[in-house]
Amino acid sequence: MGVNLAAVDLGASSGRVMLAHVDAATGRLDLTEAHRFWNGAVRVGDTLHWDILALYRQMLVGLSKVSAVDGVGIDSWAVDYGLLDADGKLLGNPVHYRDARTNGVMERVLKSISADELYAATGLQQLPFNTIYQLAAEQRLGQAATLLMIPDLLGYWLTGQQGAEATNASTTQLYDVRARGWSESLAQRIGVPGGLLPEIREAGQVIGALLPAVAEETGLDPATPVIAVGSHDTASSVVAVPAEAGERFAYISSGTWSLVGLELDEPVLTAEAQAANFTNEGGVDGRIRFLRNVMGLWILQECLRVWGDEDLPGLLREAAAAPAFAVLIDPDDPSFLAPGNMPGRIEEYCARSGQDAPRSRAAVARCVLESLALAYRRTLRLAQDVAGREIDVVHVIGGGSQNELLCQLTADACGLPVLAGPVEASALGNVLVQARALGEPLPDLTAMRALVRATHELRSYQPQGKPADWDAAESRVFGTR
């Protein structure tokens, strides 16, 4: 029998509604795309926003295409939120995390709440767009009654039920990673009104049934449950890492951002972890995602946007033949964070670092991908050192797993085999959690991952080249360890 499920999976550059059939007893895990749509920043005046109503509309369009389903789950990017007034009405479009309103805010907050105190409570990587800093810059708190993260906001509009799913709450830097709940003291100290942060719910909990108006618009049964999944898309992606039981693996959830790290049973809150700027985010089933954000394919995506070049496969073939290590950048340099003329910013970085700028688009692509592979290498070596864990294999999941050049460069840089796939990892993790909530025999992450591994083809990349060349390249960009 099995169950039919809809996964609403929202990334920072596109969204999709996926239809899945899960029958764990017979080993079936089918996933098809019902609807895909664009997502991105919309500038109004001086502010970057998310067009949340367009996303909601596209979600409804997608749900209208899936026919009858047994459940719906929503995942999205982290840190951003919507504010509701006392009547449950949205106070304007959510602000995009790349907006400039948080410029300098982190430094201001850290004068009153020390970085040591923040890390001891939340275990989070310091990033200028973390929710805590967005709220410190927020002008509408006096009008707000409730804060909902993006998936929780969309779930509220489907069901009328408010709450905060734990994996996404854990990205806010207002969540106590050991107590597994909101840190009310941190919230108060940045001026967050009492009661703004809603009750925490866990992945697998039923949020509620569809509102009558939603059921009418989509054609779905009003009794269809909306189920909390790992609503941070990386949390859902990590559920779908096709690791074998007992395998010592690392993961790279590769897309607009790259989330690079390990899965642990407990947070690592040491001074070494803090100095290395690692984050301890909540995962499904109480796991910890011990990782760092690396800028990801955003840099190449922005280059393609500026060039108007849609022939990515051809560009990557040319990049594979381009000279190695000709130009290298630090992908996490702040100059690459905001939208804009990314090829021009790479030229400016080269001027600052004493390098000749890449002379062709293929050379730019080679520079970006080699530099990402170097950042992955550095991050995974630090993760092993700080967490006291060894890695035997790197799983690359998400859209970036289709980029053969990046996967091979990652294997070369890390000196480890890379297994690439599945592409739609976040949607798969989403539906697996839903399926378990609806009674499918998937008792733990091991069982879920075994089903992914049995039903999806993976590509294997073995390390090639000379490790000394990567040592020298890393030293050029990051200095010696």
Side-chain angles (χ1 to χ4, degrees), residues 306-322:
V306 170
W307 295 331
D309 186 353
E310 298 182 359
D311 182 20
L312 180 59
L315 179 67
L316 294 178
R317 285 193 296 272
E318 293 179 23

Side-chain angles (χ1 to χ4, degrees), residues 100-111 128 133:
R101 70 174 176 164
T102 54
N103 289 355
V105 174
M106 181 172 73
E107 292 77 9
R108 188 180 80 231
V109 170
L110 291 177
K111 290 179 180 178
Y133 304 124

Side-chain angles (χ1 to χ4, degrees), residues 65-140:
K65 294 180 178 181
V66 301
S67 187
V69 290
D70 300 298
V72 176
I74 307 169
D75 67 80
S76 86
W77 68 95
V79 306
D80 290 333
Y81 58 86
L83 294 174
L84 305 180
D85 67 14
D87 295 322
K89 305 299 184 184
L90 183 66
L91 294 170
N93 272 329
V95 177
H96 195 292
Y97 61 82
R98 295 188 193 273
D99 183 70
R101 70 174 176 164
T102 54
N103 289 355
V105 174
M106 181 172 73
E107 292 77 9
R108 188 180 80 231
V109 170
L110 291 177
K111 290 179 180 178
S112 58
I113 307 175
S114 74
D116 290 350
E117 183 180 358
L118 271 176
Y119 199 80
T122 70
L124 276 205
Q125 179 181 4
Q126 287 289 4
L127 294 168
F129 49 73
N130 285 346
T131 313
I132 190 172
Y133 304 124
Q134 293 198 46
L135 287 171
E138 181 61 67
Q139 301 297 309
R140 299 167 294 179

Side-chain angles (χ1 to χ4, degrees), residues 37 50 321 478:
F37 47 94
W50 296 105
F478 300 110

